[in-house]
Amino acid sequence: MSDEEQRPLMSDTREFRGLQAEEAKKAYEKALQLARDRISVPIPLESIAEGTEFVNSDIIDELHKLSRRACVYGCLAAHRTLNERADVSIHRTAILRARAFMCEVMAIRLVEKMAEDKIGREEMFVEVLTPMFNECAAGSSAESPLQVAVESNAVAFINHMVVQQCVEYIWRGLLVPRPSYDIKVDSEDGDGYVMGYMWPATINVGFKALPEGRLSVPVYQYAAETLFSFMLLGVFTFVVNYRTAEVNPIEMFMYFLVVSFGMTELKQFTSQGINFYFLTLFNGIDAMIMTIFSAAFGFRIYGQWIGSDKILEGPNDMAYDLLACNAVFLWTRAIHVLAGFRYFGEMVVIIRSMMRDAAYFFIMFAFVLVGFVQAFAGLARASPSDGEPGFGKGIYLLAKAFLQSPDFEDAERMNEFLGPPLLIFFMVLASVIMLNMLIAFFNQSYTEVVESAAQQHVFQFTLNVLGVGLDTTRYPFISPTNLLEPFLFVLHKILSERAYLEVRQWVWILAVLPCNITIAIAEELFPQTTAKIYRVKEDKEFEDEQREGTGRKNDLLGSGTDRAQVPGVHSAITADSSKGSKSSSSSSGESGGDAVANDAAIAGSGGPDGVEQVLASLVAEVKALRRQVEALSEKT
C-alpha cells in the first residue's frame, strides 16, 4: 500500500501539498487517456451511464489509488477540457462529448466509492470536493472541483446526493472558511493545493454565536443581500417619481447605495472570473443596471456642473430618463428572491435558455436588418442640406413592420415604385419566415429544458451558493458596510498581514453587529431551523440512506458485476433518450417475447453464471418496459 493510501485524509497535509498538485495533474491526464482509449467512435451517452462497459470498478480503483484527494478534480478538469475541444471542433464533436461525459461518470462513481468506503463526509467535503487546485486551471487562479463542475456544466455530477449535501453544508454554515491568514499562506506556497473550508467541531448558534456572528454563512448573506436590494428599490422608486433640479439628500443616499452595490458586484466578478460570473442570469442584469446608473450619474453631474435648473430638458432630464428605463432591469432583478423556490427557479432556468436562443436569433437577424436599412436609406434620397442619410427613418420603418404595424405610406414617400414592394418582402422574410423560426427555437428549448428543469434548478442553486462561497473570507462585508473596505485597504498597506486581519475582524464585528443580532434572535426563536439541528437530522438520514443503498445494491447484484445506472444521469441526456424513444414503437411488439425469454432465464438460472444471466435478463426487461412507457407517453 502506497503512502498516499495510508495517509489519513484529515491529517496535516502541508508537507504533501506539492505532491497533491502533481497528482492532480496525473489524475487529469489519466482521465483523458482513459476516455480516449475507451471511446474511439461516437456512442450514445446512455450507454456510458449504464453498466460497466466503459466505466468499471477497475478504472475507479486505479484513479482512486492515483490520488484520493485529487482524483475527482482531475476527472472534472478533463470533462471541461473535452467539452471545450468539442465546442471548437467541427467533425469530432460527438466523440468528444461522449468522452467528456465518461469523465463526468468517472467523477460520480469516485464520489460514490468514497461514500461507500465510509471515509466520512468531513473528509470528502474538506479534502476532495472543496480544496482548490491550480495545476489544471486555464489561468493562474486556483479552483475547486465544485467550481470546475459548474463551469463545465456537469449537471449529473452536481445533482448527486453527496455533492448536493456538500453544497448545502456550505450554504447553511456547516462547512466554514478557514482563517484568511492561513489561506493566504497556503496560496503563497505556490504548490497549487489550498484547503478553503474546514469542518467545525462545534456549531454555535443564537446568542452563543454573537462574539463573531453568523453573517459569514451564505444563507444569511443571501438574505441580507435581498433586504438591501429591496431597500435600494424603495429609494430608487422615490427618486424617479419625484424629480428635482438640485441633488436632494434621498438621491445622494440612492447613489451611496449604488456605489455599495457596485463594489459587491466588482468583488464577485474578480473572485469568480468572467466565465463563472456570467453563468448566472441575474449577474448579467446587474452589469446592465450598473452601466445605466453610471450613465445617469454622469448626466446628473454634468447638469450640476453647467448649472442647469431645468428638470424636463437638458442633462437633468436625460439622467432621470435613464433612471426610469433602469427600473425595468432593477425590478426584474428582484425575481432572484423567488428563484430560491423550486417552481420559480425552474422557470428562471427555462427563461435563461430562451433568452440565449433569442440572442442567437437576433444576431442572425441583425445582418438581414442592416441590409434592408441600407436599402431604405438609399431609397430615402436625403439631400445634403438635411444632414440625415435616412438610416434613422429606415430603422423606424422596419421596426414597425416587424411588430406588425407596417407604414406603407412612409415607404412610398421614400420611393414610390420600390418602397412598398421592398417593405412587403421584408415583412414576408422577417415576420413570416424568421419569426416562425424563432418560435420553433423556443419550442425546442422549452421541450429540452423542461424535462431536466429540476436538475437545472439544483445546478443554479449550486451556482448561487458558490457565487457567495467562492470568496472564502471568514468575515465578509455586506452592502452597504462594504464601503468601509477601501479604508481597510489603506490599513492593509501599512500594517502587517496578521495585524491587518485582526483589525478587519474587529471592524467587521462592529459594522455588521445589527445583522448578527437579528440572526441570533431568529435562531433563538426558531431553533428547529438552525444549522445545528439540521446537521443532527442530516447525519441520521445520511447514515440510513447509505445503509439502505448498500443493502439494495447487494440484493440486486449478488456476486455479479455492477450494472446500476449512474444516479441523476438519465435526465441529463434527454436528447439521446428521446432519439431512442422514437424507435420504441417498433420494439414494443417484441416485449412479450422478451418477457417469456426472461422468465425462462430466471427459471434456469443457478450459480454465479446464473446470477449474471438473471441480471442481464432483468436489465433487458426494464429497458423494454421503459420503451413501452415512452411510446405511450408520446401517444398521449
Side-chain angles (χ1 to χ4, degrees), residues 20 51 183 276 410 566:
Q20 290 304 317
I183 293 177
F276 192 93
D410 195 9
V566 175

Side-chain angles (χ1 to χ4, degrees), residues 206 213-216 220-221 514-524:
R214 295 269 293 161
L215 191 57
S216 58
Y220 295 129
Q221 290 186 49
C515 294
N516 281 325
I517 291 177
T518 303
I519 295 171
I521 294 174
E523 289 185 336
E524 290 289 340

Side-chain angles (χ1 to χ4, degrees), residues 245 247 251 255 291-308 310 313-323:
V247 178
E251 186 178 0
Y255 283 113
T291 302
I292 297 177
F293 265 129
S294 301
F297 183 73
F299 279 106
R300 192 64 164 149
I301 292 298
Y302 179 67
Q304 299 301 308
W305 176 264
I306 65 176
S308 175
K310 296 180 180 180
E313 61 182 62
N316 290 329
D317 182 59
M318 178 59 69
Y320 279 112
D321 288 345
L322 288 174
L323 289 178

Side-chain angles (χ1 to χ4, degrees), residues 399-558:
K400 291 194 297 183
F402 183 76
L403 298 175
Q404 308 300 318
S405 181
D407 190 347
F408 287 98
E409 295 181 358
D410 195 9
E412 189 174 356
R413 282 194 295 270
M414 290 184 176
N415 190 287
E416 183 178 357
F417 298 102
L418 298 178
L422 192 62
L423 184 60
I424 293 174
F425 178 54
F426 172 79
M427 291 185 63
V428 171
L429 180 62
S431 301
V432 177
I433 298 177
M434 299 198 73
L435 191 59
N436 285 327
M437 183 175 67
L438 177 62
I439 295 173
F441 283 166
F442 284 165
N443 289 334
Q444 181 180 3
S445 296
Y446 182 83
T447 303
E448 292 179 355
V449 175
V450 75
E451 294 179 357
S452 61
Q455 287 73 26
Q456 288 291 339
H457 167 70
V458 173
F459 179 84
Q460 287 293 322
F461 171 75
T462 305
L463 180 60
N464 293 334
V465 174
L466 293 183
V468 179
L470 277 180
D471 179 21
T472 55
T473 304
R474 189 72 175 274
Y475 306 104
F477 287 91
I478 60 170
S479 301
T481 61
N482 59 345
L483 293 173
L484 295 171
E485 292 197 78
F487 302 99
L488 293 173
F489 180 77
V490 176
L491 293 177
H492 192 193
K493 297 298 182 180
I494 301 174
L495 302 175
S496 64
E497 186 68 26
R498 188 176 294 276
Y500 161 73
L501 291 174
E502 291 179 357
V503 172
R504 177 188 174 92
Q505 175 183 350
W506 283 106
V507 172
W508 179 85
I509 290 174
L510 295 175
V512 301
L513 184 60
C515 294
N516 281 325
I517 291 177
T518 303
I519 295 171
I521 294 174
E523 289 185 336
E524 290 289 340
L525 294 178
F526 306 100
Q528 68 276 10
T529 62
T530 62
K532 189 173 182 179
I533 303 300
Y534 177 84
R535 177 171 172 176
V536 172
K537 294 179 179 178
E538 279 291 296
D539 287 347
K540 186 177 184 305
E541 291 180 3
F542 183 81
E543 292 175 359
D544 293 342
E545 288 170 355
Q546 288 295 107
R547 185 164 50 253
E548 293 173 2
T550 303
R552 285 195 301 268
K553 184 176 180 180
N554 292 336
D555 293 341
L556 175 65
L557 299 180

Side-chain angles (χ1 to χ4, degrees), residues 124-327:
M124 188 186 305
F125 296 168
V126 173
E127 292 276 3
V128 177
L129 295 178
T130 61
M132 293 175 283
F133 299 87
N134 63 11
E135 194 65 31
C136 305
S140 58
S141 60
E143 56 188 0
S144 68
L146 287 178
Q147 183 180 352
V148 177
V150 170
E151 289 181 352
S152 60
N153 198 35
V155 179
F157 177 83
I158 291 294
N159 275 269
H160 193 274
M161 181 186 68
V162 176
V163 178
Q164 269 308 299
Q165 190 175 48
C166 177
V167 172
E168 190 152 9
Y169 272 33
I170 297 175
W171 175 249
R172 294 180 179 271
L174 300 173
L175 284 174
V176 298
R178 295 174 62 230
S180 302
Y181 182 78
D182 294 344
I183 293 177
K184 184 175 180 63
V185 170
D186 291 345
S187 301
E188 291 176 349
D189 287 344
D191 50 28
Y193 180 77
V194 182
M195 286 169 43
Y197 287 91
M198 65 180 182
W199 187 275
T202 58
I203 301 176
N204 292 325
V205 298
F207 295 123
K208 292 182 180 179
L210 263 184
E212 289 191 349
R214 295 269 293 161
L215 191 57
S216 58
V217 176
V219 63
Y220 295 129
Q221 290 186 49
Y222 191 78
E225 179 189 352
T226 301
L227 292 176
F228 171 80
S229 299
F230 280 104
M231 180 174 64
L232 177 60
L233 273 174
V235 177
F236 168 82
T237 302
F238 180 86
V239 171
V240 170
N241 289 293
Y242 296 94
R243 302 188 177 198
T244 58
E246 300 293 333
V247 178
N248 56 72
I250 305 253
E251 186 178 0
M252 293 177 62
F253 182 62
M254 181 194 73
Y255 283 113
F256 174 82
L257 298 178
V258 169
V259 171
S260 174
F261 174 71
M263 289 180 59
T264 301
E265 295 302 315
L266 181 62
K267 190 172 184 179
Q268 288 184 0
F269 181 82
T270 54
S271 63
Q272 298 174 14
I274 184 171
N275 293 329
F276 192 93
Y277 181 81
F278 285 107
L279 283 175
T280 303
L281 173 64
F282 299 111
N283 285 343
I285 296 176
D286 292 342
M288 183 67 68
I289 290 172
M290 289 307 305
T291 302
I292 297 177
F293 265 129
S294 301
F297 183 73
F299 279 106
R300 192 64 164 149
I301 292 298
Y302 179 67
Q304 299 301 308
W305 176 264
I306 65 176
S308 175
D309 58 353
K310 296 180 180 180
I311 302 176
L312 299 180
E313 61 182 62
N316 290 329
D317 182 59
M318 178 59 69
Y320 279 112
D321 288 345
L322 288 174
L323 289 178
C325 294
N326 208 13

